[in-house]
Amino acid sequence: MMIHPALKAYQAVTETSLTGREAEAVCFRMLIEDLEAAARGGDPQARNRALDRHQRLWSMIMKANILDNGLASEEDRTLFVRLADQAQKYGIRAILHPDLSLAPLIEIAENVLAGLEMVSEGNERGSGADRMV
C-alpha cells in the first residue's frame, strides 16, 4: 500500500517536532511578545490581534482541561480552567476598554511560561512531572 504524501510529511514533521510542553512554552512566548508589542505601541489593530490570540489560546486551554483526558489531575485541571476564565474575562474587558493595561495578561502568561519551563527542566532531569496544560 502506498503512503499518501501528506502522511509522509506529517511523519517527517512529528519526528523532529517539539514535545507538548515545548510547544506550549513557544505559544506562551509568542503570546507574551504579542501582548508586550501591543502594550508598547499605539496601534489599535495590533492590540486587537494580540487580544484575539490571547482569547483563542486561553479558550483552547480551557477546553483541553474541562474534560478528564487522564493527563492531569482534577486539581490541576480545575486550576487551569479558573486561570483561563480569569484571563479571558480580563481580556474581554481589555477589548472593550482600549485604555486598560495589558500588564495583568502579560503577567499571567509569564507565570504560566515560568511554570512550563520549570517542569520541562525537571522532566529533563527525570522528575516525571505531569503535564500542566
Side-chain angles (χ1 to χ4, degrees), residues 73-88:
S73 70
E74 183 174 342
E75 182 181 337
D76 288 345
R77 288 191 349 263
T78 299
L79 173 66
F80 269 94
V81 168
R82 284 186 188 143
L83 188 59
D85 182 57
Q86 291 173 353
Q88 286 184 302

Side-chain angles (χ1 to χ4, degrees), residues 49-60:
R49 280 192 304 274
L51 287 168
D52 179 59
R53 285 187 210 111
H54 171 269
Q55 296 299 95
R56 285 189 282 143
L57 176 61
W58 281 109
S59 177
M60 288 187 297

Side-chain angles (χ1 to χ4, degrees), residues 9-10 15 27-28 32 36 38 41-42 52-53 55 66 81 84 93 107 116 128-129:
Y10 176 77
E15 289 173 5
C27 288
F28 276 96
I32 292 164
E36 286 176 340
D52 179 59
R53 285 187 210 111
Q55 296 299 95
I66 287 175
V81 168
R93 288 180 45 217
E107 184 178 343
L116 288 168

